Amino acid sequence: MVDFSNAKVLDLAVHIVGNKSKDEEIILTETSSAIVDDATEQYIKEYFFSSFNFELSYQFTHETSVKLNEIYIYSSTIFQSPNLLVEQSINIAKHLYEVSTHPNIKKGELYIAYIKDCIIDGYKTNAVGIFKSETKDFYIDINQLKQSFSVSCKKGINTKKLDKGCLIFDFDKKIPQKIYIVDTSRNDALYWKNDFLRVIEIEDAYTNTSKVLNMCKKFISKQSDLEKTSKVSFLNKSVQYFETHDNFEVDDFIDNTCENEDYCKAFKSYVQENDLNSKFEGTFEISKHAVTAAKKKIRNFIRLDSDIEIKIPSKINAVEEVIEQGYDTEKQMRYYKIYYTREK
């Protein structure tokens, strides 16, 4: 759990970072940016914190040593000497500029903040926040002029739409290293996560649960010889397994989800190819939050060329018992027959 209710933004530096490959500029500040009042700080905190998913956490990585990771170095220096925030924020901005070479990367404001009194997993600690604003919204501004009003349009930042963000918590012995990120863009080759921050997911219950459910989706999408009812049935059984069990165990999962012998062999081979047994040592704790998130992305419906969709709730695992597929020789068309007890 992460709590920012009593958090305070003690220092803030703002820079402008463009796309290096387009010869866009980088503008570096030499002083901290003042937060003029409490109301402004509240909106800044909403902008900085509200977009994060605190279920999925990350840690720094590097091919040689994590201590050579640039953001690890700069953020560690800020934690040790908060008065060096502006100096280190310049290093962070320059590093971001150097990796901003993908053609789809947008120019924007870069905020580096030192945040005090955050609560993470029950401990009070501090954080370094790195945030980038790339998009602007238009707002209507109303001003009273004696007995009339002027209406104008202004361009600004929507505090509920953070484009890119990173929260790094102080590396205290009491708290395992945890980093959280936001990246709403899908058109810039994930440079924020892979090139700038250089982080990898921490393999915990949430990550492991998400990975296996995604693996199930990928496996079923490759089975071209299976009827769609069988595919949906497998996905529904997979979700039900995760919803009704506290721990995942590979062989038990296969026994609960596979019925067809050939199909079962194919899935076991897929498990071996992905080396699941060694990755999770055969078992891991299931995250119910990850199951809920994964369910929203599972296509448990059958789409027909007549633009009709048959949606099958995840609670139905024996799909073939309620939906029958056939072929009408007279019409020379395929059909689905749906069984039910009563209409609702």
Side-chain angles (χ1 to χ4, degrees):
M1 185 192 76
V2 182
D3 181 10
F4 296 106
S5 56
N6 294 316
K8 184 79 174 175
V9 179
L10 290 189
D11 205 357
L12 176 66
V14 183
H15 310 280
I16 302 291
V17 179
N19 188 315
K20 185 178 181 180
S21 66
K22 297 179 181 178
D23 293 324
E24 292 178 342
E25 61 187 354
I26 174 172
I27 303 175
L28 302 171
T29 187
E30 295 182 355
T31 60
S32 298
S33 300
I35 299 176
V36 296
D37 52 39
D38 291 342
T40 302
E41 182 175 15
Q42 281 302 115
Y43 281 109
I44 287 175
K45 286 169 63 176
E46 178 184 25
Y47 179 56
F48 285 171
F49 305 144
S50 63
S51 298
F52 280 87
N53 169 17
F54 291 108
E55 297 290 347
L56 189 59
S57 56
Y58 296 81
Q59 61 188 5
F60 287 121
T61 186
H62 191 274
E63 57 270 17
T64 305
S65 169
V66 70
K67 292 183 179 180
L68 297 177
N69 180 297
E70 290 88 347
I71 302 303
Y72 173 89
I73 294 169
Y74 305 143
S75 58
S76 296
T77 303
I78 295 172
F79 285 129
Q80 293 167 12
S81 303
N83 59 305
L84 298 179
L85 178 126
V86 174
E87 177 184 311
Q88 295 305 313
S89 74
I90 291 173
N91 292 332
I92 293 171
K94 288 179 177 178
H95 173 54
L96 178 61
Y97 186 69
E98 289 301 317
V99 300
S100 296
T101 56
H102 190 282
N104 292 329
I105 294 174
K106 297 178 181 178
K107 177 181 177 181
E109 296 87 5
L110 181 70
Y111 309 83
I112 293 91
Y114 182 66
I115 307 154
K116 187 180 180 182
D117 295 341
C118 310
I119 304 295
I120 175 171
D121 298 337
Y123 294 103
K124 181 184 287 188
T125 187
N126 303 324
V128 169
I130 306 172
F131 315 94
K132 189 182 178 193
S133 170
E134 297 177 334
T135 57
K136 299 289 191 297
D137 283 348
F138 287 95
Y139 297 90
I140 301 298
D141 188 44
I142 307 294
N143 288 301
Q144 186 174 359
L145 303 172
K146 294 184 178 179
Q147 301 302 314
S148 63
F149 296 90
S150 68
V151 181
S152 61
C153 185
K154 292 188 175 181
K155 200 173 184 181
I157 296 170
N158 187 332
T159 59
K160 299 184 187 298
K161 293 182 180 179
L162 177 64
D163 293 305
K164 288 178 169 59
C166 170
L167 282 168
I168 307 161
F169 291 93
D170 199 353
F171 310 140
D172 190 292
K173 291 180 180 179
K174 297 178 182 178
I175 307 169
Q177 185 190 96
K178 280 192 177 181
I179 302 162
Y180 299 94
I181 66 173
V182 169
D183 189 353
T184 58
S185 176
R186 293 293 178 267
N187 301 313
D188 51 27
L190 297 176
Y191 84 102
W192 183 258
K193 172 187 170 185
N194 297 338
D195 302 324
F196 173 57
L197 298 172
R198 299 178 78 175
V199 294
I200 56 173
E201 293 177 2
I202 294 176
E203 293 195 354
D204 54 13
Y206 188 94
T207 304
N208 290 338
T209 302
S210 299
K211 282 184 176 179
V212 173
L213 282 170
N214 285 331
M215 186 206 69
C216 292
K217 287 167 56 181
K218 289 179 181 179
F219 166 75
I220 209 67
S221 67
K222 295 179 179 180
Q223 308 308 306
S224 57
D225 58 332
L226 275 179
E227 296 291 348
K228 287 192 175 181
T229 50
S230 297
K231 291 185 176 184
V232 173
S233 180
F234 171 75
L235 290 175
N236 282 355
K237 287 177 182 178
S238 299
V239 170
Q240 285 185 25
Y241 179 90
F242 279 90
E243 287 182 325
T244 57
H245 290 71
D246 294 324
N247 294 283
F248 173 87
E249 197 276 318
V250 174
D251 292 333
D252 184 51
F253 175 75
I254 292 173
D255 291 340
N256 278 269
T257 54
C258 296
E259 293 179 351
N260 180 282
E261 187 176 347
D262 294 333
Y263 177 37
C264 194
K265 286 180 180 178
F267 186 69
K268 284 182 178 180
S269 297
Y270 191 75
V271 166
Q272 291 175 353
E273 289 171 13
N274 286 271
D275 203 17
L276 280 191
N277 280 302
S278 62
K279 281 183 181 178
F280 311 122
E281 295 183 351
T283 185
F284 60 81
E285 182 184 353
I286 291 173
S287 165
K288 302 304 180 184
H289 292 294
V291 178
T292 301
K295 281 175 65 176
K296 297 176 182 178
K297 300 177 182 178
I298 289 178
R299 294 165 58 92
N300 58 340
F301 58 84
I302 299 171
R303 181 176 293 167
L304 309 179
D305 57 7
S306 56
D307 291 334
I308 293 175
E309 290 184 356
I310 305 173
K311 186 173 182 180
I312 305 164
S314 58
K315 64 182 180 181
I316 299 176
N317 55 20
V319 177
E320 295 87 349
E321 293 181 6
V322 295
I323 298 179
E324 180 183 317
Q325 190 174 26
Y327 183 79
D328 189 309
T329 54
E330 185 177 336
K331 292 185 176 182
Q332 295 187 341
M333 295 177 70
R334 303 176 73 185
Y335 65 82
Y336 280 107
K337 183 188 293 184
I338 301 174
Y339 294 93
Y340 66 97
T341 302
R342 60 183 176 82
E343 294 181 347
K344 288 188 176 181

